[in-house]
Structures are given as C-alpha cells and as structure tokens.
C-alpha cells in the first residue's frame, strides 16, 4: 500500500487552499474588534520570567497580576478594542492571534514604545 502522507508541511492540520495566507492567523476571519489581554513589562528579563511561567502552565491572568505593570488588577484585560485603536505593532500581533482562554493561552510577545508585551486574545468579532 502507498503511504497516505502526501501532504506538505508536516503536522499542520487542515486541508484546502493556501490563498497567500501567512503562517500566522491561519483560517481566521477578518475581525474589526478583539477582546484582548496583555502583560506589560518594562524590562526584557521580566518579560522572559513571565513567559517562562506561561510555558510552565500558569494561567495568563495570574501571571498578568504578578508581572504586568499595567492593569494588573484585571488580569491584564484591556477589554474590546477596535482596529486602529492600539499601537500598530501591538495591534498586528493581537489581530493575528487565534482566540484562547486564560487557562490555555495562545500568546505572542512584542516590543513597543511602552515596553514588552505578552498578548492573548479571548474573542473576535
């Protein structure tokens, strides 16, 4: 029997067309607003500590309360933000993320003029 593995790209799930999409935001419909959380750190080393906690299974909101230097009391929640209302670097990373939960977050980290951010998105519309 011939092997069934005729797909390219390794273990990525899904089939169909690759209509010029980048490796981020695969399959995401365009959104005009997102429900976003972040952890803001002034220093790179502090951001790395927060990332290590997330990698080890800590909840995003708990890490935000411990490490974030902005809105930490709310677990890093910025609420619903519309396209064009955020720093452009932050916004690009945030709108490319798939929604996830604080218990099992999908996140990205970026540097802006405000500092180092770890970003997760809870919802899109």
């Amino acid at each position: 029997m011939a092997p069934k593995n005729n797909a390219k790209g390794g273990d990525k799930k899904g089939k169909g067309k690759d209509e010029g999409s980048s490796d981020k935001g695969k399959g995401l419909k365009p959104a005009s607003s997102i429900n976003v959380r972040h952890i803001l750190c002034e220093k790179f080393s502090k951001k790395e500590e927060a990332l290590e906690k997330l990698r080890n299974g800590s909840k995003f909101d708990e890490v935000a309360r411990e490490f974030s230097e902005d809105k930490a009391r709310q677990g890093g929640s910025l609420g619903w933000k519309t396209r064009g209302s955020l720093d452009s670097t932050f916004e690009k990373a945030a709108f490319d993320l798939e929604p996830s939960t604080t218990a099992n977050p999908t996140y990205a980290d970026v540097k802006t003029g405000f500092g180092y951010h770890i970003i997760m998105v809870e919802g899109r519309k």
Side-chain angles (χ1 to χ4, degrees):
M1 284 194 195
K4 286 187 176 183
N5 189 2
N6 59 0
K8 295 178 185 172
D11 61 353
K12 289 184 181 178
K13 292 184 179 177
K15 302 174 197 162
K17 308 161 208 111
D18 181 29
E19 296 175 14
S21 64
S22 68
D23 58 345
K24 285 192 170 187
K26 49 195 174 291
L28 287 178
K29 292 179 182 171
S32 59
S33 62
I34 53 172
N35 188 4
V36 64
R37 288 181 184 264
H38 78 145
I39 300 167
L40 173 63
C41 301
E42 220 173 90
K43 295 183 177 170
F44 178 82
S45 59
K46 192 169 179 183
K47 179 214 46 150
E48 288 298 307
E49 276 185 68
L51 279 172
E52 189 61 30
K53 285 224 171 208
L54 290 171
R55 288 184 196 113
N56 289 331
S58 295
K59 289 184 175 183
F60 193 93
D61 54 335
E62 291 169 359
V63 176
R65 279 193 265 289
E66 183 179 345
F67 286 89
S68 187
E69 296 162 19
D70 179 45
K71 297 201 179 217
R73 283 163 286 145
Q74 297 156 2
S77 178
L78 297 175
W80 286 95
K81 296 293 179 186
T82 57
R83 214 176 267 279
S85 68
L86 298 163
D87 174 272
S88 61
T89 305
F90 183 105
E91 187 171 286
K92 167 122 182 57
F95 275 89
D96 281 349
L97 282 169
E98 291 189 34
S100 60
T101 63
T102 57
N104 190 19
T106 299
Y107 50 84
D109 65 299
V110 296
K111 183 179 190 307
T112 70
F114 299 99
Y116 297 93
H117 304 264
I118 304 168
I119 308 164
M120 72 159 288
V121 172
E122 291 185 288
R124 299 169 61 87
K125 59 183 177 180

